Amino acid sequence: MTRSELREEIFKLLFRVEFNAPEDMEEQKQLFLLCDDEHLSESDEAYISEKYENIAGMLPEIDALLVEKAEGWNKKRMGKVELTILRLAVYEILKDDTVPAGAAINEAVELAKKYGQENAGSFVNGVLAKFVRE
């Protein structure tokens, strides 16, 4: 799979966090990897799983940063799709040295256009731009 396709799969798995209890997420992850239509290779599964675990382990920290940067927006006010995309991109910008910040933002905007509400791409772009200005 390409990096973009892997990122989309991570987004889909991470989206489940909004609908499942933390103690159920390990089972959700296993179900996701088992039932994925893309027929993931072992290396793709390992990449998705590792990146998901890294992001999930930092959600409180990432969410605090998002609320700080997204002036006038709290976590509950953001759409679940947009919040999930922002979480993934913020992790990539701040913690994943293999992903250039510009690529993380562009990919996040594309995911927002595909899965988010009408103006999700602009919203995601605006919030993420604040992370790279500093």
Side-chain angles (χ1 to χ4, degrees), residues 35 51 67 85-86 102-103 112 122 127:
C35 298
K51 198 157 188 180
V67 170
I85 292 168
L86 287 168
S122 298
V127 173

Side-chain angles (χ1 to χ4, degrees), residues 30-93:
Q30 295 308 318
L31 287 169
F32 177 83
L33 294 172
L34 247 163
C35 298
D36 195 282
D37 292 336
E38 299 295 323
H39 306 294
L40 301 170
S41 69
E42 278 186 41
S43 63
D44 289 345
E45 277 189 27
Y47 180 84
I48 291 167
S49 183
E50 179 182 357
K51 198 157 188 180
Y52 162 76
E53 292 294 335
N54 291 341
I55 296 167
M58 295 184 61
L59 285 181
E61 179 183 337
I62 292 170
D63 288 352
L65 291 169
L66 282 171
V67 170
E68 177 185 318
K69 300 287 186 194
E71 297 168 14
W73 289 82
N74 63 37
K75 194 173 93 171
K76 291 181 181 178
R77 188 171 170 219
M78 292 180 199
K80 290 180 182 353
V81 169
E82 291 79 6
L83 177 60
T84 303
I85 292 168
L86 287 168
R87 287 170 166 169
L88 173 57
V90 167
Y91 172 82
E92 289 184 332
I93 291 168

